[in-house]
Structures are given as C-alpha cells and as structure tokens.
Amino acid sequence: MLTFYNEHHAQHRAQPTRPEGKVSFEQPERVALVLNELQRRGLGEIVTPHRAPLVSLERIHSPRYLHFLRSAWSEWTALAPGNAELDAQASSWPVRGMRIDVEPDSFVGCLGLYSIDATALTAGTWNAAKTGADCAINAAHALRLGGRASFALTRPPGHHAGADYLGGGCFLNNAALAAQHLLDDGLQRVAILDIDDHHGSGTQGIFYGRSDVLTISLHADPRMDFPFYLGHADETGIGAGSGYNLNLPLARATRAAQWLAALETACLKIGMFAPEAIVVSLGDAGFALDGADYLRIGERIAWLGLPTAFVLEGGAAALDNAIHTVNVLEGFETAATL
C-alpha cells in the first residue's frame, strides 16, 4: 500500500479553546501516532504528494470559498494587531431565513458565512489543508496508475467540509476530492464509504444530487452526536441522486456484531452499485469494537475487489485510534494477497 503523507499538517494547530484549558480536539499528534504505527508494521512505502492545481479543488469547492480560505489569515491579522496571536473563529452564523448568496465585506461576517461551527483557522491552516488535499488526489491517482490500494495520511480531516463551508475541524473535503479525481480521470462510478464514528456530513451534501457517486456512512446517531443536523436514515438523495446516499446511524454502545452487520449492508449496497473504485474515510473509533474487529473491517472492504483509496478523518490523538486505523489497512492488505 502506497501512503501519501502530509508533511505540513502540523502547521495547523488550534490553540486551547476550552475554559478548563484542554487542547482542541483535533491535534497534530494523532497523525504522528498513525505514522509511527505504519512504520512499525512496515505497511508499504510512505511518500510526499505532488501538488495538485487549484482547479482540482474547484471541482468540489466553490471558487469564492477557496478564495476565502486562502486569504483568511491575512485578513484576520489585518483586523487588529493582536490577532496574529489568536485563532480566527466564527461568532455568528446565517441560519433559517438569512441570506447566504451575498458575501459580507466584513471578514467576521465572511467567517460566519463559511463556517458551520467555531472551527479555528490558524496561520498554517491553508497550507496544511491544501497539502492534505494533495495527498487525497495523489492517492486517487495512484489507483489509476494501477495501484490496488493507497492511503492519504493527512490532517486536518475533511468529511465535514462542504462545497462552500468549513466545520468539525475540516476545511477541504479530501474524500470528495479523491472521488472526483477518479471520475475526472475516466471512471463512471465511484463509491465513498465513511466509517468514521461521525457522519460524513460534508461528503453527503456534495454528492446528494448526483448518481455517479454512491455515498455511505456508518456513524453515531445524529440525534445525540455531532453533526446533529445530518446523518439520519431517511436521507437517501435528491433528484438524480435519489437512492445514492445511505446512512446507517448507530447507538454509541453498538457492539461488533451489529456494527459489522451494518457494514455488510453497506457492502451489499456497494456491490449493487458496481463502482469501479472506492474511497474509504477512516477515523475515530467510537463504538464497542476491539482491535481484531478493525482487522475484519479491512478484510471485508478488500473482499469488494475494488481499487481502494483510504483517507484519514477523525481527530482524537489516541494510540487506540492509530492502532485501529492501521488495523483496517493491515486487514485489507492481508485479505488482498490471499
């Protein structure tokens, strides 16, 4: 398995934002843990991605949103001398009945327009996010060059980022960019399987009206967990995309038998869709699964028999999460060689 590593990911590091002084959830250390585990097991070569052109990002994200991300830090620091020492976070948002078609002249207004929550922008956010997108696009391209599997080892994560908004610690939707690259490179149908413990809300929104990408997410029930407002089972797509989105929300206490049954439902749906490749969003482990279960997850994905690009999502810097992530990759590799 060829791994594309984002060497610049640590340029995005949010400051402590909680009153009790705890650090923000999504931190650079989590990628280091995965990298160490990959190297310890020797699961293939780890390389630096080639830079993708901005037009590749525009295939998924709106030009005005990308312009905002690229210029956000300079605009933030120009507002006040002390802002260079602070992260930029939204404090107001357009909700029901408010307009989103007119971009405010105020940076504070723009930050709210392009945010779904108080996800922090820092001095290095754009470079880290762009290099992460490079990893995902390179991972997809590696499949078109004949690779059986690839892995985008990167942060910040992406699956909560929409076409024109950031949130949940995400800025550019790496899984969506990988899927779109595969389509632009000649494929007709691609599936995205999101097995992070939170719903892939941004990914769903990007492809919700399309039939060339099947999106499936196994996640904690949004009635109790972030992102709260998407991820219900009755969200199946709209227009041309009707029937091409599948959500499998689960209780946090879900154990292996029920979780793996949901994965089997997802795999059967993928089989019926008959994609030519699959993108898998990996992330945090929030259910009652153990290390061996993640090996089985990787094996089941391998049995789909499809070129597969894995993309790192999630946020918790926990050794267990790193081990489980690499277990999926090892399970895939082991089954793929049988």
Side-chain angles (χ1 to χ4, degrees):
M1 182 174 297
L2 186 60
T3 292
F4 293 91
Y5 171 56
N6 179 0
E7 296 174 328
H8 302 293
H9 73 90
Q11 291 183 20
H12 172 75
R13 179 191 284 271
Q15 298 178 25
T17 57
R18 301 179 185 177
E20 64 272 29
K22 293 182 180 178
V23 297
S24 298
F25 185 67
E26 204 279 317
Q27 291 291 311
E29 289 76 14
R30 69 189 189 86
V31 167
L33 290 170
V34 177
L35 179 63
N36 290 341
E37 189 65 17
L38 272 176
Q39 292 172 329
R40 186 182 70 81
R41 300 193 205 183
L43 285 180
E45 187 180 2
I46 300 171
V47 299
T48 299
H50 298 293
R51 294 190 68 81
L54 190 62
V55 68
S56 296
L57 305 189
E58 292 176 346
R59 298 289 291 139
I60 290 297
H61 296 287
S62 72
R64 76 171 191 172
Y65 172 63
L66 292 172
H67 175 75
F68 166 78
L69 278 183
R70 294 173 70 191
S71 61
W73 187 252
S74 61
E75 292 197 35
W76 169 246
T77 54
L79 286 180
N83 278 4
E85 306 302 319
L86 303 170
D87 295 343
Q89 293 177 284
S91 57
S92 60
W93 297 267
V95 294
R96 292 171 294 279
M98 295 184 177
R99 295 183 64 176
I100 61 172
D101 59 316
V102 179
E103 186 180 64
D105 292 333
S106 160
F107 173 78
V108 174
C110 284
L111 184 55
L113 176 66
Y114 295 121
S115 302
I116 62 170
D117 59 17
T119 290
L121 280 158
T122 75
T125 296
W126 168 254
N127 197 38
K130 171 58 170 65
T131 308
D134 294 340
C135 286
I137 291 169
N138 277 253
H141 194 65
L143 303 185
R144 298 296 291 144
L145 295 177
R148 174 75 170 83
S150 57
F151 177 40
L153 176 55
T154 184
R155 58 169 291 281
H159 70 155
H160 296 308
D164 60 356
Y165 61 80
L166 60 92
C170 303
F171 303 91
L172 298 173
N173 195 306
N174 299 318
L177 289 164
Q180 186 63 53
H181 181 82
L182 289 166
L183 295 169
D184 291 343
D185 209 25
L187 300 191
Q188 301 299 309
R189 294 179 308 282
V190 176
I192 298 177
L193 174 62
D194 192 321
I195 58 174
D196 181 86
D197 68 344
H198 292 106
H199 176 244
S201 51
T203 308
Q204 171 176 305
I206 288 167
F207 297 112
Y208 204 59
R210 292 171 52 172
S211 60
D212 54 349
V213 177
L214 172 68
T215 51
I216 302 178
S217 180
L218 284 72
H219 53 268
D221 194 325
R223 291 176 296 180
M224 293 296 295
D225 272 277
F226 186 86
F228 301 114
Y229 314 115
L230 277 181
H232 300 282
D234 63 351
E235 298 160 12
T236 59
I238 191 170
S242 181
Y244 294 93
N245 187 80
L246 175 62
N247 287 327
L248 298 164
L250 300 163
R252 278 287 181 185
T254 296
R255 303 189 70 83
Q258 185 181 354
W259 198 98
L260 291 170
L263 177 63
E264 188 62 28
T265 298
C267 290
L268 291 173
K269 180 78 170 180
I270 291 169
M272 290 186 289
F273 179 62
E276 296 158 276
I278 183 171
V279 177
V280 180
S281 284
L282 296 174
D284 291 331
F287 298 98
L289 309 181
D290 60 27
D293 297 324
Y294 288 93
L295 290 168
R296 294 171 65 189
I297 291 167
E299 291 170 358
R300 183 61 185 92
I301 294 171
W303 292 338
L304 291 169
L306 295 166
T308 304
F310 294 92
V311 177
L312 186 67
E313 308 284 3
L319 180 58
D320 281 353
N321 279 339
I323 291 172
H324 296 333
T325 293
V326 181
N327 277 1
V328 174
L329 302 178
E330 183 173 341
F332 182 96
E333 288 282 80
T334 300
T337 58
L338 296 178

